[in-house]
Amino acid sequence: MAQGIIGTTFTFQVLFVDGQNVPIAVDSPTIQVFKFSSGGVKQVLVDSVAMTAVPDDTGRYTYPFLISTLLPDGDILYAEMSGVDPGTEVRLLAEQEVTVIVTGGSGGSGGMTSRFVKGG
C-alpha cells in the first residue's frame, strides 16, 4: 500500500490497458477519492474529477491530491479511477489505497522503519 505525507501532495496514477495488456487512451478518465469515518460512513473528498493524461505515455493518467492537515495519521484514502475503453465502450476501473502519515516521527524517516537484529 502506498503512503502519502499529511500536508503534501500525493499523485494518484493509473495505467489503463486492453485485454492484451497494451496501454490504451481511454475516454472520460475520472477519479473519486474517499475515506471512511470511524463509524463506517463513506466520506467523498473528490467526486468524479477528470484525470490528466501523461504526455508520451499512452494510457497513463494522474491526479494530484493535497492531503489535508486535518486528516489523522494512519487514515486510509481510497481512489477509484475509471475510463471508457473506446474500442469496446466498457468502463474500466482501477483502485488505489493510500495510508496518510506524519513525517518526522522517529527520525523523520517518512514512514520507513529500521530494525536491528542481534547476530548469534
Side-chain angles (χ1 to χ4, degrees):
M1 182 181 323
Q3 293 182 328
I5 299 170
I6 294 171
T8 66
T9 299
F10 179 86
T11 302
F12 288 99
Q13 66 173 308
V14 62
L15 176 64
F16 290 107
V17 296
D18 65 13
Q20 286 73 45
N21 252 4
V22 176
I24 58 170
V26 297
D27 295 331
S28 305
T30 59
I31 185 170
Q32 182 183 69
V33 180
F34 58 94
K35 65 184 227 88
F36 291 98
S37 71
S38 58
V41 177
K42 183 177 179 179
Q43 299 173 323
V44 177
L45 305 173
V46 173
D47 195 11
S48 298
V49 174
M51 297 186 76
T52 303
V54 175
D56 300 323
D57 197 358
T58 301
R60 186 172 306 277
Y61 299 86
T62 61
Y63 180 78
F65 177 78
L66 178 60
I67 300 173
S68 171
T69 57
L70 300 177
L71 292 175
D73 184 43
D75 221 359
I76 299 175
L77 302 177
Y78 302 89
E80 289 182 350
M81 299 163 279
S82 68
V84 177
D85 181 337
T88 64
E89 298 299 316
V90 171
R91 179 162 292 282
L92 306 173
L93 180 65
E95 298 177 344
Q96 185 176 7
E97 294 181 14
V98 177
T99 301
V100 298
I101 61 170
V102 176
T103 60
S106 55
S109 60
M112 297 180 73
T113 310
S114 59
R115 180 171 45 172
F116 300 92
V117 179
K118 182 178 178 182

